[in-house]
Amino acid sequence: MSDIASGEQLDLVARRATAVAWWRDFGVRLALDVARVLVLTGVVALVLAFFSAGMLQLIVEARAQENLSLATIFPSPVELRQAWDEHQTRLLQEHIPETLWETLAGLTIAVVLGLTIAALMDFSPLLRWVLYPVLVVSQTIPIFAIAILLILIFGFGSGPKIIVVVLFCFFPVTLSTFTGLQSADPELISLLRAMGANARQIWVKARLPAAMPSFFAGLRIAATYSVVGAIFGEYITAQRGLGVFLKRSYSSFRLDQAYLAILLTALLSLLLVLLVNLVERLALRWYYTARRRSWRGPGIY
Amino acid sequence: MSSCRAVLSETERSAGLGGGDEIPVSAAPASPTIMTPEPRVPCLEVRGVSKTFRDGGQIVHALDRVSFAAYPGEFITIIGPSGSGKSTLFNIITGLTEPDEGEIVLECGVVRRRAGRVGYMPQRDLLLPWRTVLNNVILGPELDGRSRREARRRARELLPLFGLEGFENAFPETLSGGMRQRAALLRTFLTDREVLLLDEPFGALDALTRRELQRWLLGVWERFRKTILFITHDVEEAVYLADRVLVFSGRPGRIVKELRVDLPRPRQAISLLSEDLRRHEAELLAALEAANGHAPSGETK
Ligand SMILES: Nc1ncnc2c1ncn2[C@@H]1O[C@H](COP(=O)(O)OP(=O)(O)OP(=O)(O)O)[C@@H](O)[C@H]1O
Ligand SMILES: [Mg+2]
């Protein structure tokens, strides 16, 4: 745009042309602003509509329930205690070890698988191009459907449940590790390259360590899912495990037992997440020293 | 590559430093210092290098036909206004960026892969946040596949001089800005390259530490006959250290003046108030002012 003539005086025609162009630009900008406001208002309206309709539905249905009281929904701690005493031996010797075994096996396989896929995607743009949509699609198919199929085909053993746990867990690990690998500081990588590092050295010494905080974030999500995955698999069909215990409780209308199973599931998940946190603290000492400094006193040093 | 690195200056060979890489600093004999490098084969030659960045609609002419040669054992400082393409020039020499025009000649001629041939200390410290100070400074030898233990030993010897004693196991995030800069300088020095490119290495240091490290750098340079290119914004520093000062103009950067500093060496003991030093500084300041005054605008929309 050379609308400012060098040193010569602007004649009227040129000035009018500039004015026309300005008004045209102004019109375009105005239209865009109006469109943006309209779209945003629409989105907000939709969110509000679904939220209030959903809440209304919940309230209406709760009202319709007869004799709904806390006592019928929640068993007392004493009842829970009794259920625990009643089933303690079988829970401790059969169900919990089985669930734990499936969870840990599935989770570790998911971690190895996730790291491998993330590394492959990071290495080769072609693989990234192929694998990324496959990964996303693999999560859009309901895992439940695949899991039920697997268990109905392969039956009672631990194997199919381990696969279910893997299905539940590998995606968050893969995606977060991949994101972490891609987000390594490009200037750091440039420096390594300037120092003569080859691709492998850059990967091992810069990209992988940079991805570790993201990897652990993904692992934490996976750890939360993993126990639920195992329980879900067992619920469909199994000989032992907390899932079976839960299923039997429901079929014999023992709500206290069901709650016990839920409580134990939550406890196992919690322990697993705590374990991940512990390992993370140990492995990422650098990350936490930096953070600790920042909450001692915020500032940029 | 090694054949190129083997081209050492005469001084070095006669001083029995042919090994170059593996000589521990303290054990090196004091070699006879030869003040003025005789015109020999340059170990680094920049020939007519131009660089233009196109970033969307904006065009930035960063460098305009920059040419100079650095001879073995020479200490060259580069001074010029901010944004005049000094860092860009270093990026081109290290092979991170290719020039639009011109070429870089390193010892054996125009090489395609320049990465890893010179020691480079960028303007940002770029320490690996997951490594302790000690493991950061040995990055160079590690990338070369040399012994880490030996590198650590050498690094430990130098830590006190760099004011990093007691911090070898600290993570970079917990250091002050100046300490990080010193760690980055130590890392660059430990790469054991013949040519060192230092981009404002003493920018964030207090006057006393700066003076001390300047003396140390002169000492190292005299002992090992390194060739040093040193960017600075400090007129006094530019004169005090250099055999030659290259003055860059504002954007697009070109060399507008080459100032020979014929102060006697060694200069470690020189008084900062010495008449000669002041005379050179005044001359340099005048050149800088002239360069800024005529600085043509490099940006065009
Ligand atoms: N990758 C890039 N893309 C676009 N423009 C760039 C890029 N790198 C540098 N520039 C531009 O080139 C010019 C020179 O930058 P450079 O960093 O080399 O300056 P400098 O002389 O080192 O400045 P300072 O003394 O402030 O460090 C600047 O105007 C900068 O905006
Ligand atoms: Mg710079």
Side-chain angles (χ1 to χ4, degrees):
Chain A
M1 287 237 309
S2 61
D3 42 12
I4 300 163
S6 54
E8 294 166 33
Q9 54 181 175
L10 295 163
D11 56 341
L12 205 62
V13 185
R15 204 175 288 182
R16 191 169 296 158
T18 352
V20 169
W22 191 86
W23 277 106
R24 204 181 41 225
D25 279 1
F26 179 74
V28 171
R29 265 181 287 140
L30 191 70
L32 281 176
D33 281 349
V34 169
R36 188 157 49 216
V37 169
L38 283 180
V39 169
L40 283 179
T41 318
V43 170
V44 171
L46 270 178
V47 168
L48 280 179
F50 274 110
F51 177 78
S52 39
M55 288 307 281
L56 197 71
Q57 172 97 24
L58 289 180
I59 293 168
V60 167
E61 287 194 4
R63 284 252 178 105
Q65 288 283 331
E66 285 164 30
N67 57 35
L68 186 79
S69 71
L70 280 182
T72 54
I73 310 181
F74 295 114
S76 70
V78 180
E79 286 175 280
L80 276 182
R81 182 65 214 253
Q82 280 163 359
W84 169 251
D85 287 340
E86 190 182 331
H87 298 285
Q88 193 184 8
T89 30
R90 290 208 67 193
L91 278 172
L92 281 179
Q93 282 169 12
E94 277 183 21
H95 297 314
I96 294 178
E98 173 69 13
T99 304
L100 208 54
W101 151 240
E102 288 161 5
T103 304
L104 291 178
L107 190 59
T108 35
I109 294 175
V111 165
V112 172
L113 192 70
L115 280 176
T116 315
I117 297 178
L120 286 176
M121 277 167 61
D122 187 53
F123 264 128
S124 135
L126 180 69
L127 275 176
R128 185 178 320 156
W129 189 76
V130 174
L131 282 178
Y132 203 87
V134 172
L135 277 179
V136 173
V137 168
S138 84
Q139 296 302 298
T140 60
I141 309 171
I143 304 180
F144 290 5
I146 304 175
I148 293 174
L149 213 63
L150 271 173
I151 290 167
L152 290 182
I153 295 171
F154 295 107
F156 294 101
S158 308
K161 282 86 179 180
I162 293 176
I163 298 180
V164 174
V165 175
V166 173
L167 284 179
F168 267 82
C169 295
F170 89 96
F171 186 69
V173 175
T174 312
L175 201 65
S176 53
T177 309
F178 174 67
T179 316
L181 286 171
Q182 295 274 301
S183 69
D185 182 353
E187 292 199 358
L188 216 56
I189 290 169
S190 289
L191 174 71
L192 283 176
R193 193 165 292 140
M195 290 176 83
N198 58 34
R200 189 186 56 77
Q201 285 173 322
I202 287 174
W203 204 79
V204 173
K205 294 183 200 302
R207 300 179 78 96
L208 194 62
M212 279 300 113
S214 309
F215 162 75
F216 275 104
L219 180 60
R220 209 180 347 266
I221 298 174
T224 339
Y225 283 171
S226 60
V227 182
V228 178
I231 305 269
F232 173 76
E234 291 162 358
Y235 197 90
I236 296 164
T237 161
Q239 282 166 328
R240 35 176 129 162
L242 281 174
V244 182
F245 183 70
L246 186 68
K247 193 180 183 180
R248 287 182 194 150
S249 308
Y250 279 137
S251 44
S252 54
F253 297 105
R254 288 288 302 271
L255 226 55
D256 55 337
Q257 283 186 24
Y259 270 101
L260 186 63
I262 293 169
L263 204 69
L264 287 172
T265 312
L267 221 60
L268 282 188
S269 303
L270 204 64
L271 281 178
L272 214 56
V273 172
L274 286 179
L275 185 73
V276 170
N277 284 351
L278 183 73
V279 175
E280 183 185 19
R281 290 261 157 182
L282 294 177
L284 301 187
R285 211 160 51 83
W286 62 273
Y287 192 66
Y288 285 96
T289 16
R291 288 252 301 264
R292 192 172 61 234
R293 179 185 168 89
S294 70
W295 50 253
R296 262 194 201 142
I300 303 162
Y301 299 90
Chain B
M1 214 161 119
S2 56
S3 68
C4 297
R5 297 270 318 284
V7 181
L8 299 174
S9 62
E10 290 303 319
T11 341
E12 226 164 6
R13 227 173 267 152
S14 59
L17 294 179
D21 292 0
E22 311 300 341
I23 309 274
V25 179
S26 57
S31 64
T33 42
I34 296 169
M35 291 317 115
T36 40
E38 314 120 42
R40 284 183 291 247
V41 194
C43 54
L44 166 69
E45 211 180 333
V46 174
R47 287 189 189 152
V49 163
S50 296
K51 181 75 190 175
T52 303
F53 290 107
R54 280 174 198 80
D55 186 13
Q58 191 164 346
I59 295 175
V60 180
H61 297 292
L63 288 172
D64 185 28
R65 281 161 295 162
V66 169
S67 298
F68 67 92
Y71 292 92
E74 218 181 352
F75 201 132
I76 298 179
T77 53
I78 297 174
I79 195 166
S82 178
S84 57
K86 304 179 299 292
S87 297
T88 306
L89 177 67
F90 275 13
N91 277 322
I92 291 173
I93 295 174
T94 51
L96 288 174
T97 316
E98 285 306 316
D100 296 334
E101 274 171 44
E103 58 194 10
I104 307 292
V105 184
L106 287 167
E107 288 173 277
C108 308
V110 183
V111 281
R112 231 163 46 83
R113 218 181 103 80
R114 296 196 294 279
R117 300 280 304 274
V118 296
Y120 178 32
M121 174 178 171
Q123 209 164 351
R124 272 181 66 195
D125 56 70
L126 291 175
L127 297 167
L128 300 173
W130 44 84
R131 286 189 176 207
T132 59
V133 168
L134 188 65
N135 286 334
N136 256 298
V137 299
I138 60 156
L139 188 62
E142 193 184 321
L143 289 176
D144 291 351
R146 282 181 277 157
S147 150
R148 277 198 231 184
R149 247 179 82 205
E150 168 63 17
R152 284 211 184 90
R153 201 187 57 70
R154 280 190 62 196
R156 276 215 186 81
E157 265 171 29
L158 287 168
L159 282 172
L161 187 61
F162 281 72
L164 293 168
E165 202 177 21
F167 286 91
E168 53 263 52
N169 294 320
F171 288 107
E173 307 258 355
T174 65
L175 300 184
S176 76
M179 288 164 88
R180 272 180 268 180
Q181 217 174 23
R182 279 175 271 153
L185 178 60
L186 180 53
R187 173 182 64 193
T188 311
F189 174 69
L190 287 175
T191 55
D192 284 317
R193 299 296 190 260
E194 299 307 315
V195 180
L196 300 183
L197 310 182
L198 311 179
D199 197 343
E200 296 182 36
F202 302 150
L205 298 182
D206 62 284
L208 226 57
T209 316
R210 173 186 276 245
R211 175 66 58 204
E212 218 170 286
L213 279 176
Q214 283 171 350
R215 290 212 186 93
W216 171 81
L217 189 61
L218 285 178
V220 163
W221 168 75
E222 269 156 19
R223 196 151 49 177
F224 293 98
R225 306 309 289 173
K226 303 260 188 209
T227 309
I228 295 180
L229 263 62
F230 186 110
I231 294 176
T232 177
H233 283 300
D234 186 310
V235 173
E236 188 191 283
E237 183 172 73
V239 172
Y240 176 65
L241 294 175
D243 293 317
R244 258 195 302 161
V245 185
L246 304 179
V247 182
F248 270 55
S249 69
R251 232 173 297 125
R254 57 172 98 81
I255 298 174
V256 285
K257 186 170 173 63
E258 193 187 307
L259 182 76
R260 230 165 231 297
V261 183
D262 41 18
L263 297 175
R265 294 204 187 262
R267 292 190 191 154
Q268 280 88 321
I270 222 171
S271 159
L272 289 177
L273 301 170
S274 99
E275 199 52 40
D276 280 345
L277 203 64
R278 289 275 163 252
R279 191 168 41 76
H280 281 103
E281 276 169 34
E283 195 179 340
L284 184 52
L285 210 54
L288 262 176
E289 268 159 9
N292 269 332
H294 304 228
S297 168
E299 276 142 278
T300 42
K301 291 265 163 166

